[in-house]
Amino acid sequence: VLFFTELPSALVCFAIFCSICFRDSRGAARWWGIGCATGFLFLLHAKNVGLIIPLTALALHALHGLGDPLRRREAVAFGTGVALLVAVRFAVNYAFWGGLLSGPHARLGEWPGWARLIGEMTTRLVGLLVDQEFGILIYAPVYVLAIWGATSLVRVKRDLAFSIFLVVGVYVALLICPLTNAHGWTGGWNPAARFLTPITPLVGLCVFAGLRTAPRAVAVVVVALQVAVSAYAWQHPKILWNDGDGR
């Protein structure tokens, strides 16, 4: 049994996003819980800081009426919850590795120069999408429909669309940047698109919108391709596990 932090990260991230964007969350206790859940993402894995930053921004935007004493108490409760779990992460990291942030896996990369930085970020982004071993669209082509769905959401649910874009954009930007992620984008021996798993539920909202708004011929072809890929993968599950051998 292998424990991948990306799976609980996806669940916690989506639960927080729903609490902020889909529900009228009220009460200091509830916002303290949302804050603890947000900080818990950092405890799960250091790279989840790419989720904490935008989710915190969305929470503070939802609590923008800080002139209201109730809203102010909720904002303080949220910040306290985040700070508490981040402090726990710092304490655990210090106990294991002797530092608040750095460790054998959580470390910053070196500055490679602008040309190599942009080139590496481009390679990582393309690889995350279409690489034979680790690209999400090779194994889950249904996510192509997110293109139509995102366009549709911008027109009919602008706030929701930009909330999704913010979380996905910040997370992916820190993931593909070699300064904030020294390990690349393949993730070692693991299922494809492992590092994208935490945000796939959010992108899935765009996929659902895309199923409703994409041209019917496109939707039918994409869904049929996804069914075929999934059926083959169920019969040959080892194809879902790669180790970056370059084939």
Side-chain angles (χ1 to χ4, degrees), residues 35-68:
C36 287
T38 304
F40 180 65
L41 285 170
F42 191 42
L43 186 60
L44 278 171
H45 202 288
K47 71 173 177 291
N48 284 342
V49 68
L51 300 174
I52 295 174
I53 293 173
L55 289 173
T56 298
L58 291 177
L60 295 178
H61 177 72
L63 296 167
H64 66 279
L66 296 181
D68 183 348

Side-chain angles (χ1 to χ4, degrees), residues 133 243-247:
E133 293 181 325
D243 198 18
D245 59 11
R247 291 181 298 170

Side-chain angles (χ1 to χ4, degrees), residues 132-150:
Q132 175 186 328
E133 293 181 325
F134 297 102
I136 188 173
L137 297 181
I138 302 300
Y139 297 87
V142 71
Y143 281 97
V144 169
L145 296 176
I147 299 173
W148 284 272

Side-chain angles (χ1 to χ4, degrees), residues 97-109:
W97 314 116
L100 296 181
L101 286 174
S102 61
H105 298 294
R107 65 179 187 272
L108 297 177

Side-chain angles (χ1 to χ4, degrees), residues 1 21-22 44 46 50 60 68 75 91 103 120 133 135 137 143 148 180 198 202 208 211 227 238 247:
V1 175
C21 298
F22 293 152
L44 278 171
L60 295 178
D68 183 348
E120 177 65 17
E133 293 181 325
L137 297 181
Y143 281 97
W148 284 272
T180 52
L202 299 181
F208 177 75
L211 284 170
V227 170
K238 287 185 178 181
R247 291 181 298 170

Side-chain angles (χ1 to χ4, degrees), residues 75-155:
V76 171
F78 172 81
T80 302
V82 174
L84 174 62
L85 269 295
V86 170
V88 171
R89 162 72 193 211
F90 285 159
V92 171
N93 201 83
Y94 186 83
F96 275 95
W97 314 116
L100 296 181
L101 286 174
S102 61
H105 298 294
R107 65 179 187 272
L108 297 177
E110 297 181 356
W111 173 251
W114 283 110
R116 292 184 61 187
L117 177 70
I118 295 174
E120 177 65 17
M121 292 180 68
T122 301
T123 299
R124 292 185 180 194
L125 180 60
V126 176
L128 284 169
L129 295 177
V130 297
D131 177 69
Q132 175 186 328
E133 293 181 325
F134 297 102
I136 188 173
L137 297 181
I138 302 300
Y139 297 87
V142 71
Y143 281 97
V144 169
L145 296 176
I147 299 173
W148 284 272
T151 303
S152 173
L153 286 178
V154 169
R155 291 197 302 265

